Amino acid sequence: MNVGLINGLPGHPLFVHGAAVLVPLTALALVICALWPPAARRLGVVLPLLGLVTLGLVVLTTESGEWLEDRVRESSLVEEHAEMGPGLTPWAIALFVLTVVVWLLGHVGRRQERARGGEGETTPSEGGASTVARAASSLSVRVVVLVIALVVAAGAVIQVYRIGDSGARAAWHGRFSTSPSEAGR
């Protein structure tokens, strides 16, 4: 698949802008849903889908960046940016995995609420599932997931910032003036 060109122009800048929006948005949604389980239940499957789309976009951005790297003038700034780019993928994978975990915890919580409300009774064959549900919805599990979500969300956002900053330096260093040009007036 050629992810390098879109309508004859490099696709990397387009994908970068998408990733620069979706990674922080996914991180924020993850933290909110981990902190406030009703939000996870309301978002439902949208949360892990957001994580999956974000992961896919990060991979696409990295691939298009590698394609573009082979077609631009070499410089230390481009090299630095190219080396940093793949470092976002592990963070995006962790975001995706955690969005699935938080969604599952919300799903388990919803089932427990229904069971407590009399909509379903636990039968002896469901005893193991009930034990898993209780463990998954325990405060200690939720706190651990929240702490991990906070670390991963912060790490992902910081990595997006660092990579974006290095990309902006690679693209714009020495290519503009700090004073307005006569042509712009």
Side-chain angles (χ1 to χ4, degrees), residues 145-169:
V145 170
L146 175 60
V147 168
I148 295 170
L150 285 167
V151 169
V152 168
V157 170
I158 290 168
Q159 191 68 358
V160 164
Y161 173 79
R162 291 179 64 236
I163 294 167
D165 182 63
S166 73
R169 289 179 192 285

Side-chain angles (χ1 to χ4, degrees), residues 36-153:
W36 189 40
R41 290 192 286 276
R42 281 199 181 128
L43 276 181
V45 74
V46 171
L47 182 62
L49 286 176
L50 181 61
L52 181 62
V53 169
T54 300
L55 173 58
L57 188 57
V58 166
V59 170
L60 193 59
T61 302
T62 303
E63 292 294 319
S64 66
E66 289 172 359
W67 180 90
L68 186 58
E69 179 187 15
D70 293 337
R71 289 158 177 83
V72 296
R73 186 175 308 133
E74 260 186 66
S75 75
S76 61
L77 293 174
V78 169
E79 188 61 34
E80 175 187 344
H81 177 65
E83 287 176 8
M84 291 177 77
L88 185 57
T89 302
W91 292 104
I93 291 169
L95 277 175
F96 171 62
V97 168
L98 284 167
T99 60
V100 171
V101 167
V102 168
W103 173 72
L104 286 172
L105 288 175
H107 190 68
V108 166
R110 180 180 293 147
R111 286 178 121 181
Q112 279 195 318
E113 284 176 9
R114 286 181 187 157
R116 273 187 245 130
E119 293 180 28
E121 292 184 24
T122 305
T123 62
S125 65
E126 294 173 338
S130 176
T131 304
V132 170
R134 276 194 303 275
S137 63
S138 74
L139 181 60
S140 58
V141 169
R142 291 197 175 278
V143 168
V144 167
V145 170
L146 175 60
V147 168
I148 295 170
L150 285 167
V151 169
V152 168

